Amino acid sequence: MTIQIPRGTYDVLPEDAFKWQKIEETAREVCALFNYKEIRTPIFESTDLFQRGVGDTTDIVQKEMYTFKDRGDRDLTLRPEGTASVVRAYVGHKLFGLPSQPQKLYYIGPMFRYERPQAGRNRQFTQFGAEALGSADPSIDAEVIALAMTFYRKIGLKKLKLVLNSLGDPESRAAHREALIAHFKPSIGEFCADCQKRLEKNPLRILDCKADHNHPLMATAPSIIDYLNDASRDYFAKVKVILDEMGIEYELDPTLVRGLDYYNHTTFEIMGASQGAITTLMGGGRYNGLVSELGGPETPGIGFALSIERLLLALEVEAVSLDTDRSLDCFVVAIGEKAEQKAPVLLNQLRLAGLHADKDYMERKVKGQFKQADRDKAKFVVVIGDEELDAQKAVVKNMADGVQEEVAFTLLTNYIKEKI
Ligand code: HAM
């Protein structure tokens, strides 16, 4: 019996892997432009990191984590997101003590959530995320958003919509929380069991409930925007002014609460062209309390994450192709036993000289070797047989125009390098 791939996962075969490479390359390039440095953290962490970091009342922690005990009876979880790990590392390595602040970090790697799989919703998915820790300057909020936008534009997406909100500071949030409790409490019996628990623990989560999103009280719920205190409103205004001046368009959405608990002040999402039910390509926001929550000093932070899976779907919808040159420089065709012995040596020389080169390993006849050269999109075919070996020469065929020339072995690499 063949073994099936786990539900919600997939393989990236070579014919698609080049797209992933291109996307990852672009992410790294854009991060370098913005001076964000890579951080790599483990794929699994202590479960309490996410319970405390992402929040006990979130769907992620309550329903979606891959949690297990290891042989030493430790509670571990495959990371469902990257921010908590980055903050754990920032605290653990005392990066807050470095003179270079903010610490501007990025990551690309797999995340795991036990969700109902569909296009753009996987159980293992790959996030590209960036986090700026240590600055409460509104221009860094705008920078993080600009980074994501620049990345999508460089990849070739055009149909993007930035949605923006502010959840305010702790004082604003406390006032909003009381208003939400007063709004929902009289009718909380009409809501799902999760929402009933959320009412006292974290009423903001009710607004994010998938089961009750059509309840009439949802549309009339008090909006955070009306509860922002002066400092929070002022901060948000500054972020918007910078975005305006950068020419980054956005839509305000006071219902954008995000699915993780650590957010305050600026929150944002980028939506893409419709791909069925899922349109959110990227999400992020400010999390000023998270560093201290995880044992570090009071430190502001902001970041975003996006998945490569959803980006690929959006590229498909917008018919953007990521084609890159995947051709071989040359393919060595050997005729006869002596040539077959010489071929690997010649090939090795070509490769050491920096040429992308290959040969046949399937005992193909000459015609079959040429066919393989075609499949590999070889620009040149280097043919060697008895005569060529005696003369220490090869016949080099330019596959674009069919022109053939005899080239001495000693001149071969230079010849091909000059032509390509
Ligand atoms: P999030 O909104 O949970 O935020 O996820 C961010 C992005 O990850 C989503 O917009 C989506 O592109 C992608 N994503 C999430 N779940 C899946 C899935 N099951 N399959 C495919 N793609 C998925 C966070 O994770 C925060 N850590 C973002 C952040 C960084 N906030 C501040 N810094």
Side-chain angles (χ1 to χ4, degrees), residues 60 81-83 107 113 115 120-122 125 127 130-131 258 260 262-263 280-285 287 303-307 309-310:
I60 294 180
E81 60 108 48
T83 312
Y107 49 89
R113 295 184 194 176
E115 293 196 82
R121 180 170 294 142
N122 312 90
F125 57 98
Q127 277 189 347
E131 316 285 350
R258 308 271 305 123
L260 303 89
Y262 45 63
Y263 292 114
T280 308
L281 296 179
M282 164 276 211
Y287 45 83
F304 74 83
L306 60 89
S307 73
E309 289 77 4
R310 290 197 189 170

Side-chain angles (χ1 to χ4, degrees), residues 133-362:
L133 290 142
S135 167
D137 185 325
S139 66
I140 201 116
D141 300 43
E143 176 179 279
V144 161
I145 292 171
L147 195 168
M149 278 295 195
T150 306
F151 165 74
Y152 281 132
R153 298 270 185 244
K154 255 191 182 299
I155 287 285
L157 284 187
K158 294 199 173 65
K159 295 181 188 149
L160 298 169
K161 185 171 84 178
L162 171 65
V163 183
L164 202 60
N165 190 24
S166 170
L167 298 180
D169 63 7
E171 187 188 85
S172 312
R173 292 197 52 170
H176 183 228
R177 179 192 148 87
E178 291 315 312
L180 285 172
I181 294 177
H183 178 76
F184 286 114
K185 201 167 189 174
S187 318
I188 197 65
E190 298 165 19
F191 284 76
C192 71
D194 283 342
C195 281
Q196 297 186 13
K197 278 186 230 142
R198 288 167 180 145
L199 182 71
E200 294 296 338
K201 271 184 138 177
N202 189 357
L204 196 66
R205 286 270 74 80
I206 297 178
L207 301 178
D208 208 25
C209 178
K210 289 171 190 126
D212 289 321
H213 69 278
N214 284 328
H215 192 286
L217 281 185
M218 289 293 211
T220 56
S223 167
I224 179 70
I225 286 292
D226 299 326
Y227 291 84
L228 294 183
N229 59 16
D230 288 347
S232 301
R233 203 170 307 118
D234 182 51
Y235 189 88
F236 194 36
K238 285 182 177 149
V239 174
K240 288 185 285 186
V241 166
I242 300 166
L243 288 173
D244 290 338
E245 288 182 1
M246 283 175 153
I248 296 179
E249 288 176 20
Y250 53 84
E251 223 170 72
L252 295 174
D253 180 358
T255 67
L256 179 71
V257 297
R258 308 271 305 123
L260 303 89
D261 276 352
Y262 45 63
Y263 292 114
N264 41 54
H265 288 287
T266 322
T267 53
F268 48 86
E269 288 186 349
I270 294 178
M271 324 299 271
S274 170
Q275 330 137 28
I278 293 177
T279 54
T280 308
L281 296 179
M282 164 276 211
R286 192 161 263 292
Y287 45 83
N288 288 352
L290 188 56
V291 175
S292 56
E293 172 65 35
L294 296 178
E298 200 55 59
T299 307
I302 182 163
F304 74 83
L306 60 89
S307 73
I308 296 183
E309 289 77 4
R310 290 197 189 170
L311 168 56
L312 285 169
L313 285 179
L315 287 169
E316 225 177 283
V317 174
E318 289 201 35
V320 179
S321 121
L322 291 183
D323 239 338
T324 47
D325 182 9
R326 284 172 288 147
S327 57
L328 271 188
D329 296 324
C330 54
F331 192 95
V332 177
V333 168
I335 308 166
E337 218 168 285
K338 271 205 296 198
E340 275 162 22
Q341 269 178 14
K342 172 75 178 172
V345 181
L346 198 57
L347 186 60
N348 205 38
Q349 282 167 9
L350 294 166
R351 288 168 173 170
L352 287 177
L355 291 168
H356 299 203
D358 211 347
K359 74 174 199 63
D360 168 64
Y361 294 96
M362 304 303 292

